[in-house]
Amino acid sequence: MISYARQNPEQQPDLTLPPAEDHIAPAPRVSVQAFCDTVETAAAVQSAGEDRRLGKAHLKIQMGGMAAATEAYRSAPTPNVIILETEGRNDILTGLDQLASVCDAGTRVIVIGRINDVALYRELVRRGVSDYVIAPVTAIDVVRSVCNLFSAPEAKAVGRVIAVVGAKGGVGASTIAHNVAFAIARDLALDSVVADLDLAFGTAGLDYNQDPPQGIADAVFSPDRVDTAFIDRLLSKCTDHLSLLAAPATLDKVYDFGADAFDSIFDTLRTSMPCIVLDVPHQWSGWTKRALIAADDILIVAMPDLANLRNTKNLVDLLKASRPNDRAPLYCLNQVGVPKRPEINAGEFAKAIESQPIAAIPFDPQMFGSAANNGQMIAEISAGHRTTELFLQIAQRLTGRAETKKPRGSFLSPLLEKLRAK
């Protein structure tokens, strides 16, 4: 019998939800073979194979539907996942019975059909089908179906990667990344880790007042040792919900990496942390491009000038083209309102980028300078400041979560505590 992981088509994710809520965890390294009846479905599956979340999957597409699949596996081993397109009810059930006789144990089957019927779905589940998707399908339908085979529905929020990058050097992207991560951990009560990817000049350790003896360099230079236990030993605890994977910020090595150098680190963090904030340095290389494209959400930090506008536009255009099934990158303006400096206002920025900035953070050298020199976050210096509220709003926008309200104490609380103690 073909094994299956039960997926109920009546409980498909609500496509009217905002993209931040429709979080799809990437699929592992698996082989996927699709047997399609129509060119439209074949095109959708082909497009799905180009999605970042199926980047590790090996996808092969053939025409011929159920009959072609049964014939192919009479003399060849079956892959991890088979996608089958079929037309009528009888074709599905008869074809599945024939396929089961040549299918290896453990193979998961996704059926694409045109009959929307609960009784049919139950019969498919009884025969070992993992998921049934109603045609016509889009690329994101296929991505969701395949990826959901390898992630538990209740683990929806686990492993969200947020990449923060500056449109230009010196725009304060690292400061924004660290303060937003602090808000995610403190105000949204979401266990988070900041990964400082600027190994030579990273400032996360300074900003969080941490000086750990180990950090991300130990992982990237020892890829064969990377697992959950190893990464846990490298993390530095900043608060109850926030940890840091610090950069060494030394120049005793040259940090030239291949495009996939950080893949095992990010994959391991995804399995154990609900939220990973990547502090991506302002450079353009194979691994920085890969980190941005593979992230679940992206925040670009820009100052209100022409060079930042051009670079933000270039980044947004490239990332939108590379991630057609994802939410478009978000951006915010930083250091707005520097005295006597000509600036491009938010409206002009929005017109060029074709989207509004999610925040405009005012220029405040006194407060930001004090925080940097003291190793503190803005919320620790001034909890009620407007900028603290902006960081929380950015955190909510990136994670799709509302603020976790803390219970309010009353004037009777001390007396009640004494009575409980007795």
Side-chain angles (χ1 to χ4, degrees):
M1 192 66 167
I2 303 167
S3 70
Y4 64 88
R6 184 167 297 188
Q7 305 285 335
N8 192 338
E10 296 177 27
Q11 297 175 349
Q12 289 280 349
D14 182 0
L15 298 183
T16 63
L17 289 173
E21 297 294 336
D22 188 19
H23 175 54
I24 303 172
R29 296 184 188 279
V30 292
S31 57
V32 182
Q33 293 183 11
F35 293 83
C36 304
D37 273 337
T38 64
V39 293
E40 292 80 10
T41 298
V45 176
Q46 180 66 44
S47 180
E50 298 167 1
D51 188 275
R52 63 176 180 85
R53 285 157 291 208
L54 293 182
K56 294 181 180 178
H58 179 71
L59 177 65
K60 183 179 179 181
I61 303 171
Q62 302 178 54
M63 302 303 290
M66 195 86 70
T70 304
E71 186 62 32
Y73 298 132
R74 292 187 192 280
S75 57
T78 51
N80 302 109
V81 181
I82 302 173
I83 300 174
L84 301 169
E85 183 185 15
T86 188
E87 295 289 339
R89 179 191 300 265
N90 293 333
D91 292 344
I92 298 177
L93 300 181
T94 302
L96 282 175
D97 290 341
Q98 295 173 351
L99 181 64
S101 65
V102 297
C103 196
D104 297 338
T107 296
R108 307 186 187 203
V109 175
I110 298 170
V111 174
I112 299 173
R114 285 171 168 73
I115 301 172
N116 190 358
D117 181 64
V118 174
L120 172 63
Y121 168 74
R122 289 173 179 158
E123 188 59 33
L124 293 176
V125 168
R126 194 181 71 79
R127 280 172 161 80
V129 168
S130 301
D131 196 10
Y132 179 64
V133 186
I134 305 297
V137 296
T138 63
I140 196 64
D141 293 330
V142 178
V143 171
R144 182 184 295 108
S145 184
V146 174
C147 291
N148 282 352
L149 297 180
F150 303 95
S151 63
E154 62 271 15
K156 180 179 178 182
V158 173
R160 180 180 292 276
V161 173
I162 297 169
V164 182
V165 65
K168 191 168 175 283
V171 299
S174 291
T175 299
I176 303 299
H178 305 160
N179 278 275
V180 168
F182 188 81
I184 292 172
R186 189 190 74 157
D187 299 311
L188 307 184
L190 194 61
D191 286 336
S192 306
V193 61
V194 173
D196 190 345
L197 304 184
D198 189 351
L199 273 68
F201 303 107
T203 59
L206 296 174
D207 285 353
Y208 290 120
N209 198 25
Q210 300 284 327
D211 187 20
Q214 295 177 300
I216 196 166
D218 298 270
V220 77
F221 286 119
S222 304
D224 55 323
R225 298 177 59 194
V226 172
D227 58 22
T228 302
F230 182 61
I231 292 294
D232 283 345
R233 290 196 297 271
L234 302 181
L235 292 176
S236 176
K237 198 167 184 64
C238 301
T239 69
D240 287 343
H241 291 289
L242 182 63
S243 298
L244 170 64
L245 197 54
T250 59
L251 303 179
D252 55 341
K253 293 181 180 178
V254 175
Y255 303 109
D256 290 333
F257 301 119
D260 60 352
F262 291 88
D263 283 7
S264 60
I265 300 173
F266 299 159
D267 290 345
T268 303
L269 287 172
R270 276 186 184 275
T271 65
S272 58
M273 277 288 179
C275 185
I276 302 103
V277 178
L278 305 181
D279 181 3
V280 183
H282 179 72
Q283 64 181 68
W284 197 240
S285 61
W287 71 264
T288 54
K289 179 181 178 181
R290 188 181 180 96
L292 290 172
I293 291 174
D296 294 298
D297 280 291
I298 303 163
L299 176 66
I300 301 168
V301 180
M303 284 168 52
D305 63 32
L306 186 59
N308 277 272
L309 176 59
R310 179 201 64 187
N311 293 356
T312 301
K313 175 68 172 171
N314 288 343
L315 278 169
V316 168
D317 288 349
L318 180 138
L319 292 170
K320 286 171 75 172
S322 302
R323 299 154 45 89
N325 303 313
D326 286 272
R327 173 165 68 168
L330 304 175
Y331 74 98
C332 71
L333 298 178
N334 191 32
Q335 301 183 33
V336 174
V338 175
K340 299 183 179 180
R341 180 185 70 180
E343 295 182 347
I344 299 174
N345 63 44
E348 292 298 318
F349 233 93
K351 185 177 180 181
I353 307 300
E354 299 180 344
S355 67
Q356 293 288 335
I358 63 170
I361 301 168
F363 178 67
D364 192 338
Q366 179 67 38
M367 185 171 63
F368 279 90
S370 297
N373 288 337
N374 294 335
Q376 291 179 296
M377 298 292 101
I378 300 301
E380 294 177 296
I381 290 181
S382 180
H385 197 277
R386 170 61 179 158
T387 301
T388 301
E389 179 64 27
L390 287 175
F391 287 137
L392 175 56
Q393 290 175 11
I394 295 173
Q396 291 171 326
R397 186 73 180 274
L398 288 169
T399 61
R401 290 188 170 213
E403 181 179 4
T404 300
K405 298 297 183 183
K406 301 177 178 64
R408 294 180 61 184
S410 72
F411 68 94
L412 291 176
S413 295
L415 177 60
L416 292 174
E417 289 297 325
K418 289 180 181 178
L419 289 173
R420 291 193 189 100
K422 291 180 181 181

